[in-house]
Amino acid sequence: MVAMLKGQYGSGIREANSYLGQNYLVVEASLIPEVLQVLRDREQFDYCVDITAAHYPQREKQFDVIWILYSFARNERIRVKTMIAESESVPSSTSIWGTSNWLEREVYDMFGIRFDGHPDLKRILLPDGWKGHPLRKDYGIIQQDQEWVQINLGIESGQ
């Protein structure tokens, strides 16, 4: 599978390896939709288990966006990762897996990462007026939107 992907996408597949028994690919962001489609259609990764991210504020491309896929036919998981800068977005995978809809909304809500082509990209866990993205490393551990709490809940922060 890796040889086929590297043959098709060349240096766009930046890395292919295994860590603690889990296979992963690091893919150029522009190739994400194509690679995900190939993994679903040709390699039978028919279930998108999760989409998540990690924030590395010291890097130029400070976000890793990670798709965790599962193949029922192969009984195998694979992680597909890409790196993007704060100002960049990634293509939505909602047309490939319906489960991506809410997963992408969660990544948007918690990290502020935009998914181009998402049918309804809006917060899913926090209220619409919430400021900030709590899973970014630069979001303080006890930080909260005190203004929103005061206006909407009528209480002072307990922090």
Side-chain angles (χ1 to χ4, degrees):
M1 175 179 66
V2 171
M4 180 273 299
L5 289 169
K6 282 188 170 186
Q8 188 169 350
Y9 300 107
S11 64
I13 305 294
R14 298 199 180 273
E15 187 179 343
N17 219 325
S18 184
Y19 180 72
L20 296 176
Q22 179 119 177
N23 297 322
Y24 69 90
L25 298 171
V26 180
V27 177
E28 182 67 39
S30 63
L31 295 175
I32 282 293
E34 237 181 290
V35 170
L36 293 177
Q37 189 79 50
V38 165
L39 287 172
R40 188 196 71 180
D41 295 346
R42 278 197 243 159
E43 300 300 326
Q44 299 178 302
F45 286 94
D46 42 7
Y47 178 50
C48 181
V49 176
D50 198 8
I51 301 171
T52 190
H55 184 215
Y56 300 94
Q58 72 281 6
R59 291 189 334 204
E60 181 182 338
K61 292 193 172 206
Q62 58 184 285
F63 292 102
D64 286 356
V65 182
I66 305 141
W67 290 259
I68 303 169
L69 310 177
Y70 181 73
S71 168
F72 287 100
R74 299 162 68 132
N75 189 26
E76 183 180 334
R77 288 181 192 258
I78 191 168
R79 293 175 190 249
V80 179
K81 178 171 80 170
T82 195
M83 292 175 255
I84 61 168
E86 180 160 11
S87 60
E88 297 176 326
S89 58
V90 291
S92 175
S93 59
T94 55
S95 64
I96 302 170
W97 298 284
T99 55
S100 296
N101 189 321
W102 287 32
L103 300 171
E104 289 176 359
R105 285 181 59 193
E106 182 179 6
V107 172
Y108 167 71
D109 198 2
M110 296 291 108
F111 290 94
I113 296 170
R114 298 194 157 278
F115 291 86
D116 293 335
H118 189 283
D120 191 25
L121 192 62
K122 62 183 181 183
R123 290 198 183 264
I124 190 169
L125 299 172
L126 295 170
D128 289 336
W130 197 264
K131 293 178 185 162
H133 304 283
L135 291 183
R136 288 184 177 204
K137 291 202 169 98
D138 54 7
Y139 190 90
I141 192 77
I142 58 171
Q143 179 180 350
Q144 62 178 304
D145 190 337
Q146 294 181 2
E147 178 185 345
W148 187 93
V149 170
Q150 176 64 44
I151 291 168
N152 293 285
L153 301 179
I155 60 173
E156 294 295 322
S157 167
Q159 299 292 327

